[in-house]
Amino acid sequence: MSIFKLYFKSNLLIRILVALVLGAILGLIFQDAPKIVAVLTPLGELFVRLLKMIVVPVIASTLIVGASSIAPSQLGRIGVKTMLYYTITSIAAILIGLGVGAVIKPGLGLQLVSEMATDGKVAEAPSMLKILLEIVPTNPIGVIAEGQVLPMIFFCLMFGIALAFGKDSDDDNVKKSSETVYSFVDGVSQAMFKIVGWVMQYAPIGVFALIFIVFSKNGAAAFGSLASVTGAVYLGLALQVVLVYCVTCALFKLSPLTFLRKVRPAMITAFVTRSSGATLPVSIQTAESMGVPKNVYSFGLPVGSTMNMDGTTVYLGVCAIFIANAVGMPLTPDQMMTVTLTAVLAAVGTAGVPGAGAIMLLMVLESVGLPVEAGSAVAVAYGMILGIEALLDMGRTSMNVVGDVAGVAIVAKHEKTLDEKVWHS
Ligand code: ASP
């Protein structure tokens, strides 16, 4: 009984942080422990399932409420500012990724030769045009049922904007019915946030389980032979935080330290779930705790969780350099330019689910003439990266989400709608 009391009374964030550190340390100590992993796997999966359960209703309801509570012209301005911020920070991310790769030179001297093949992980990256076209759903209820985020955003945005016009209508009937629909959806969104709060109470257990599993399975490799890539990816991610997010916060007169303190719940949830999509309910709560208004985050966060992937961009840059070095064909300046372009675009097309970035790496490698073909040296190097995929995915997903939250905070500040009181408390 008292252990429950202690659990629920202690600060949630501290509980999550303790679980994270403990999980990592114990995972590193108990390498290759299938029995413990088998026990912990369902506990971790339960956390991810609980988050995923609320993603669709959270996105749909906040987006409809957000879009319908502002004038359409304002929505356009917020949309443009958000996309502009995302584009600039993504370009910064690839430059940082390539810069860190060029300085640390991971993989140099590995001299891989064609002998082994990767274990069938060679997958096709989808084409850009297809990704863009599929944003428009042919069956809105279908995409909501299947949880396809981008088409769902598209439909909910249109629905919300239409509702905004309805609420403004001169026709009393239209006005009244639009307001009824609005109140209903608003009620759904309130209920969802209550559920997010409950799910977070379980977070420490889920975090412990997920982190233990990853460190127990991959820890040795990441700190051993592949330490230079792991180090370079994480250094790039850290630089992205300091040079991009902290600096933009400071430029917009927001305390970087307060930002870092407030963003932690989303950062940690993304770290352990390895999914920007599954982290959305928590990112939304985090943005609220920063005083970002609904009309800014309800668009910026769902869109960011599928299109703004700064962490993935850093990863693509570093890993492209690693693989090129490992096969003895370091990237030329021209190839670096190509990587810059394809990595930024590939990140836009990366889904916010675990492992999506590794598929996009195929596209980037292809663009510089290093296709992953069974038996080739590139495939061997790619296989090595896949070996520590989970660890790299944790860091990059975490940064993907931090980038989204930073974006909506900056846009709100620029719109002069950020509630800055919470930044001083
Ligand atoms: N797991 C990442 C995310 O959800 C995407 C990736 O694999 O890079 O943001």
Side-chain angles (χ1 to χ4, degrees):
M1 188 62 198
S2 63
I3 195 158
F4 279 112
K5 254 195 186 152
L6 194 73
Y7 183 86
F8 286 111
K9 279 241 165 91
S10 56
N11 178 297
L12 178 62
L13 196 63
I14 294 182
R15 249 184 290 155
I16 295 179
L17 279 174
V18 169
L20 185 81
V21 175
L22 219 63
I25 296 175
L26 291 179
L28 278 177
I29 295 174
F30 295 99
Q31 288 291 301
D32 259 337
K35 282 204 182 117
I36 311 180
V37 168
V39 174
L40 291 179
T41 301
L43 294 179
E45 204 182 312
L46 176 62
F47 180 47
V48 177
R49 290 185 78 100
L50 284 169
L51 283 170
K52 284 196 175 156
M53 171 181 86
I54 42 182
V55 167
V56 170
V58 165
I59 304 182
S61 58
T62 47
L63 207 55
I64 293 173
V65 172
S68 56
S69 49
I70 43 167
S73 61
Q74 215 185 344
L75 184 74
R77 204 179 56 225
I78 292 173
V80 169
K81 281 186 192 173
T82 310
M83 297 316 277
L84 190 70
Y85 177 89
Y86 285 168
T87 311
I88 296 173
T89 51
S90 296
I91 294 174
I94 186 62
L95 295 181
I96 288 177
L98 288 175
V100 168
V103 173
I104 296 194
K105 300 191 174 60
L108 205 67
L110 263 182
Q111 311 275 11
L112 295 180
V113 285
S114 316
E115 45 187 17
M116 300 144 39
T118 50
D119 43 355
K121 281 259 189 174
V122 185
E124 279 295 309
S127 94
M128 215 54 207
L129 187 67
K130 191 157 175 270
I131 292 168
L132 288 178
L133 261 181
E134 284 180 354
I135 291 180
V136 182
T138 49
N139 174 357
I141 306 296
V143 290
I144 291 177
E146 284 166 19
Q148 295 179 30
V149 178
L150 276 184
M152 183 161 76
I153 293 175
F154 186 86
F155 177 73
C156 291
L157 259 182
M158 287 191 100
F159 187 81
I161 295 171
L163 215 53
F165 278 108
K167 283 200 309 172
D168 237 18
S169 169
D170 294 333
D171 184 328
D172 262 359
N173 256 340
V174 175
K175 195 177 164 84
K176 234 167 122 192
S177 50
S178 301
E179 271 163 2
T180 312
V181 175
Y182 175 84
S183 320
F184 170 76
V185 184
D186 194 31
V188 172
S189 121
Q190 304 295 347
M192 285 308 136
F193 283 117
K194 194 85 206 149
I195 302 182
V196 175
W198 294 336
V199 171
M200 286 315 279
Q201 289 300 329
Y202 177 72
I205 299 171
V207 165
F208 175 82
L210 292 170
I211 220 78
F212 179 96
I213 295 168
V214 171
F215 275 77
S216 167
K217 284 189 179 166
N218 308 281
F223 292 105
S225 58
L226 288 168
S228 67
V229 206
T230 318
V233 169
Y234 275 85
L235 176 66
L237 296 174
L239 287 176
Q240 175 78 6
V241 176
V242 177
L243 299 180
V244 181
Y245 309 139
C246 288
V247 168
T248 34
C249 275
L251 282 177
F252 284 85
K253 305 212 160 46
L254 291 173
S255 155
L257 286 182
T258 313
F259 172 75
L260 290 179
R261 186 161 51 80
K262 287 195 177 286
V263 83
R264 276 182 306 190
M267 195 171 175
I268 296 174
T269 310
F271 192 74
V272 296
T273 59
R274 286 184 267 147
S275 164
S276 306
T279 309
L280 247 181
V282 185
S283 334
I284 289 179
Q285 237 190 8
T286 304
E288 277 210 335
S289 78
M290 288 185 186
V292 179
K294 199 176 246 143
N295 60 16
V296 174
Y297 73 65
S298 68
F299 169 76
L301 291 179
V303 168
S305 77
T306 56
M307 301 183 81
N308 180 45
M309 305 272 175
D310 295 347
T312 303
T313 313
V314 169
Y315 154 89
L316 290 172
V318 173
C319 290
I321 292 197
F322 166 78
I323 292 177
N325 283 345
V327 300
M329 292 166 63
L331 296 180
T332 62
D334 270 3
Q335 284 176 315
M336 293 249 192
M337 273 308 291
T338 313
V339 170
T340 307
L341 250 180
T342 35
V344 171
L345 290 178
V348 173
T350 307
V353 296
I359 305 291
M360 288 303 162
L361 183 55
L362 294 173
M363 185 166 130
V364 174
L365 291 172
E366 182 89 42
S367 75
V368 285
L370 294 170
V372 176
E373 277 158 4
S376 69
V378 178
V380 178
Y382 182 70
M384 292 176 77
I385 296 280
L386 285 188
I388 51 164
E389 163 57 18
L391 271 172
L392 300 181
D393 200 5
M394 291 197 301
R396 65 181 194 249
T397 307
S398 186
M399 224 39 65
N400 288 345
V401 168
V402 174
D404 300 341
V405 178
V408 292
I410 300 288
V411 171
K413 170 78 188 186
H414 197 251
E415 282 282 303
K416 300 195 176 59
T417 51
L418 186 71
D419 177 6
E420 286 187 58
K421 281 195 297 292
V422 293
W423 287 71
H424 305 301
S425 59

